[in-house]
Amino acid sequence: MAIQSINPATGEVIKTYEADNPEEVNRKIEAAEKAFESWREVSFKERAKYMHRQADILEQEAEKYGKIITLEMGKPLKDAIAEVKKCAKACRYYADNAADFLKDEIIETDASKSMIAYEPLGVVLAVMPWNFPFWQAYRFLAPALMAGNIGLLKHASNVPQCALAIEEIVRNSGFPDNVFQTLLISSKDVEAVIKNPVVKAVTLTGSEGAGAQVAEIAGREIKKTVLELGGSDAFIVLDDADLDKAAEVAVKSRMVNTGQSCIAAKRFIVVESIADAFIEKMKAKMANLITGNPLTDETDYGPLARKDLAEDLEKQVKASVEKGAEVVLDGGRNGNDNAYFNPMILKNVKPGMPAYEEEMFGPVAAVMVAKDENEAVKIANDSRFGLGGAVWTQDKERGLRVARKVETGAMFVNALVASTPEMPFGGVKKSGYGRELSYLGIREFVNQKSIWVA
């Protein structure tokens, strides 16, 4: 099977790769198993040296690697460069903190000595998506390697250059051979990798369906999983919010990565008394965004990552409009022969519509009007997803109260929802389980061993 790298802005096939055959996959897994024998014994201090070198490369060659991201999945180059540099931040965070996060934890008991020891599991498979092709991978890579694990990456099939570039960066940082490897395989080949006894755990960022399949396979094999799945984040605007600031951040949150982000705001729940004013401000700002060649500085948003994604989003919009949603800002497909999709705003969005029930993975904002704060919370929680969310109010205590009521893995008060190395990242309900980042993320793939000395 051939794996193609296609530029979504032009439709051009950039490169074609032959997929790894089963024998090559098994060779890589065996090499990973052997690498673990020695890597687990390397000190945190030595691991940190390699990780800091990796951060240096990411910072120094951010434009080079950012361009690969842009050419493969279409995000503006300035955003792609920022993504690469953010990966360097994660590398330094875990290089500097892993030893403390995983040091023996002394527990007071009636033993002469008792503790929790944090020990690496071994070979961990990461199944990663295309929307943040570097950041998603590094959220796994940095903590996993610093914990003493070995990484295998099965990246999305439309970003093979990114996958191989990450492997190149790890190699050029001086890490020992086979501590991190890319598997160029299709989704149907993932099951065999999970079943391989060498592989001890799996982490996946992706769709709800993909997460369910991976969890089922890993469950039968009794292997640990962490799943970061879809999101339909609520952006709650209360009646005392700063509407100018809220509208500005609302547009940024909906349009980040051309709307292709799990934690992009998707459902805008606005209190009735200020709904019209907020919608007009949001519409004005969103209508002024510029699209075009993602390699140029003036471009605010590029194409979606693939033409079929634009087609799917168009179907969701049409179905919602047919059920009564009203188009406030008209956009949509920019021709049927490409992956571009101009931003849209829908209002009068109700239960039963795709815009209400499903994740809209592209630049479509669904506006829902609530009578008051309590109804806003009720609408926010009326979703099978629970990844992130935001609430806007000039009363911070009120914001904190609402934040505690919304069923998500993260809530931001008067701020853009974002992931950062210091804070745990993950969801509840159909958005998955487990956590990435923070000290919680590095502890997901270690054996939390109790040691008791009589």
Side-chain angles (χ1 to χ4, degrees):
M1 185 197 81
I3 295 176
Q4 290 186 323
S5 174
I6 299 174
N7 184 342
T10 64
E12 172 194 3
V13 177
I14 307 169
K15 286 188 178 182
T16 301
Y17 300 88
E18 281 300 314
D20 292 340
N21 59 42
E23 291 75 19
E24 177 66 7
V25 171
N26 286 333
R27 185 200 65 76
K28 289 183 177 181
I29 293 174
E30 290 171 4
E33 181 181 33
K34 186 174 182 180
F36 178 60
E37 295 173 7
S38 55
W39 180 244
R40 69 183 302 172
E41 302 300 330
V42 174
S43 68
F44 284 112
K45 185 176 180 180
E46 286 299 307
R47 293 175 199 163
K49 288 180 181 178
Y50 300 128
M51 197 61 70
H52 275 298
R53 286 178 199 158
Q54 185 167 207
D56 291 341
I57 293 172
L58 288 163
E59 290 168 346
Q60 293 162 7
E61 302 188 39
E63 185 168 355
K64 168 188 171 181
Y65 292 114
K67 189 172 182 181
I68 293 174
I69 293 173
T70 297
L71 290 175
E72 281 206 306
M73 59 73 58
K75 75 175 61 185
L77 179 59
K78 57 191 175 187
D79 297 338
I81 292 172
E83 179 179 335
V84 175
K85 291 181 178 179
K86 187 175 182 179
C87 296
K89 183 180 178 183
C91 290
R92 296 202 192 282
Y93 177 76
Y94 282 107
D96 294 339
N97 292 289
D100 187 52
F101 291 159
L102 300 180
K103 67 183 179 182
D104 291 346
E105 184 177 347
I106 303 301
I107 306 295
E108 292 298 325
T109 68
D110 57 2
S112 64
K113 189 173 186 179
S114 50
M115 70 187 76
I116 301 170
Y118 298 97
E119 300 176 351
L121 292 181
V123 178
V124 182
L125 172 66
V127 181
M128 292 290 124
W130 46 262
N131 56 333
F132 291 91
F134 266 56
W135 175 239
Q136 305 277 17
Y138 272 93
R139 288 196 327 216
F140 151 75
L141 185 160
L145 268 57
M146 281 304 303
N149 291 308
I150 302 297
L152 291 176
L153 172 64
K154 188 284 175 204
H155 221 323
S157 295
N158 60 323
V159 289
Q161 288 191 83
C162 289
L164 293 170
I166 293 168
E167 185 179 275
E168 173 188 86
I169 294 167
V170 173
R171 183 169 56 250
N172 292 344
S173 303
F175 282 87
D177 290 344
N178 305 316
V179 165
F180 180 88
Q181 299 175 84
T182 284
L183 303 178
L184 288 180
I185 57 176
S186 68
S187 297
K188 66 180 178 61
D189 297 319
V190 170
E191 180 172 359
V193 178
I194 297 174
K195 287 182 174 180
N196 191 301
V198 171
V199 175
K200 305 303 182 187
V202 189
T203 180
L204 175 140
T205 298
S207 70
E208 183 184 340
Q213 291 177 349
V214 164
E216 181 181 1
I217 297 164
R220 289 198 301 265
E221 300 298 315
I222 321 297
K223 294 184 180 182
K224 173 73 179 288
T225 55
V226 168
L227 304 179
E228 192 268 280
L229 309 179
S232 189
D233 285 10
F235 189 102
I236 300 171
V237 186
L238 299 179
D239 51 9
D240 64 341
D242 180 336
L243 296 189
D244 289 320
K245 185 64 175 177
E248 177 187 344
V249 177
V251 172
K252 288 181 181 178
S253 186
R254 177 62 285 201
M255 294 302 298
V256 63
N257 207 30
T258 318
Q260 301 167 114
S261 170
C262 298
I263 53 171
K266 301 183 177 83
R267 298 178 299 137
F268 296 83
I269 304 167
V270 190
V271 170
E272 189 173 28
S273 61
I274 47 89
D276 290 342
F278 174 79
I279 291 170
E280 285 305 309
K281 289 177 183 293
M282 186 179 178
K283 178 182 176 181
K285 294 178 184 296
M286 193 172 277
N288 285 331
L289 297 175
I290 298 170
T291 190
N293 182 352
L295 291 171
T296 61
D297 288 340
E298 62 268 18
T299 296
D300 293 314
Y301 67 96
L304 299 189
R306 299 192 312 265
K307 180 182 169 184
D308 63 295
L309 298 171
E311 293 169 349
D312 291 344
L313 186 59
E314 182 179 50
K315 291 175 184 176
Q316 289 177 301
V317 170
K318 286 184 175 179
S320 298
V321 171
E322 288 172 0
K323 290 178 179 288
E326 180 183 339
V327 178
V328 176
L329 176 63
D330 202 1
R333 299 288 301 280
N334 188 359
N336 292 327
D337 60 343
N338 61 62
Y340 281 88
F341 196 105
N342 293 324
M344 300 185 72
I345 298 176
L346 305 178
K347 72 175 184 179
N348 196 35
V349 174
K350 304 290 185 183
M353 300 177 183
Y356 188 98
E357 307 288 350
E358 302 172 6
E359 180 177 25
M360 305 278 277
F361 215 61
V364 179
V367 179
M368 303 155 196
V369 177
K371 287 182 296 186
D372 53 25
E373 175 187 315
N374 290 335
E375 188 176 42
V377 171
K378 183 178 179 180
I379 294 171
N381 288 335
D382 188 25
S383 171
R384 68 179 188 269
F385 298 109
L387 189 56
V391 57
W392 288 80
T393 171
Q394 295 190 67
D395 182 342
K396 291 183 180 180
E397 288 304 314
R398 186 185 190 192
L400 182 59
R401 181 177 71 238
V402 171
R404 291 185 182 278
K405 291 179 180 179
V406 180
E407 299 163 352
T408 62
M411 278 294 290
F412 284 56
V413 180
N414 297 334
L416 178 76
V417 179
S419 57
T420 181
E422 299 85 358
M423 292 289 286
F425 184 84
V428 295
K429 301 195 282 191
K430 296 293 186 181
S431 289
Y433 52 75
R435 291 296 180 264
E436 297 176 293
L437 303 175
S438 173
Y439 72 91
L440 296 180
I442 198 170
R443 289 183 180 179
E444 287 284 4
F445 295 116
V446 293
N447 175 20
Q448 300 179 29
K449 178 188 288 184
S450 295
I451 298 179
W452 174 287
V453 181

